[in-house]
Amino acid sequence: MMGDNPALPKMPARPKLLDFFKYRFTDITVRHLLTSGKRALDDGHDEKIVLACLLHDIANGCLLRSDHGYWGAQLIAPYVSEEIAWAVQNHQALRYFADDSVGYKYPESYVRFFGPDYQPPEYIRRDAAAAREHRWYMSSRLITLYDIYFFEKSDPIDPEIFTDIIGRHFESRSRDWIRRLARGAHVAHHDLPNNAL
C-alpha cells in the first residue's frame, strides 16, 4: 500500500510521540504506559525514569509482542538517552527476577501465565544477570516496579501531563546513535528466539 491506510486515523503531517499514543497504539497499551509513567511521576522519580516507564512497552503497542524490551529499545534509541534505551531493553529480563531490596516480587500473574516452575530462557537469565551488575541497573529495575499488569480500576490519565518531560528528553539523537553504532552497540537481537516474552 502506498500512502495513508484508510483503515487508520490520519496522522498529523509531523507527528509527535503523543500522536502515536492517540492514533496508533492499542487502548490497553496506552492505559498501561500512561499508568506506569504516572506512578513513577507521582512517586517523584527523575524524569528519565518517568520517560522510561512511559515508553517501556512501546513495542507491544505498535510493533510486536515478542521480545518487546529488545525491540522497544531499538525503536526508541534514536530519540532518547542511552540509559533510557538500556533500561527499556533490560526490563524484559529483570521482570522475571525478584529484588527484595526495592520490594519487587515475582508477579503472581506470571505463575498463572507460565506455571509455578517456569524458568525463563537462557538469554533472559543471562541478560538479567548482566543487568544486575550494570551501573544503570536501578533505572531498569524501577521500570519493573511500575510495570503493573491490570488496569480495570485505573482512572483516565491525560497524556498531556508528560508533554514537558517528552520535550526535554525525547528528540532526535541521530549523532549519538551513530556514535553508539560505531562503538559496536548491540542494536539487533537476531540471535534471540521469537517468543512472546
Side-chain angles (χ1 to χ4, degrees), residues 127-156:
D127 288 355
R132 286 189 76 102
E133 302 301 319
H134 197 278
R135 65 185 172 164
W136 293 329
Y137 166 72
M138 196 51 64
S139 297
S140 195
R141 175 51 76 193
L142 286 169
I143 292 173
T144 67
L145 282 175
Y146 296 105
D147 191 3
I148 58 175
Y149 298 96
F150 301 101
F151 303 98
E152 291 89 359
K153 298 177 184 173
S154 65
D155 293 325

Side-chain angles (χ1 to χ4, degrees), residues 8 41 82 105 153 170 191:
L8 297 173
L41 182 66
E82 189 172 358
K105 297 182 181 353
K153 298 177 184 173
F170 190 90
D191 58 327

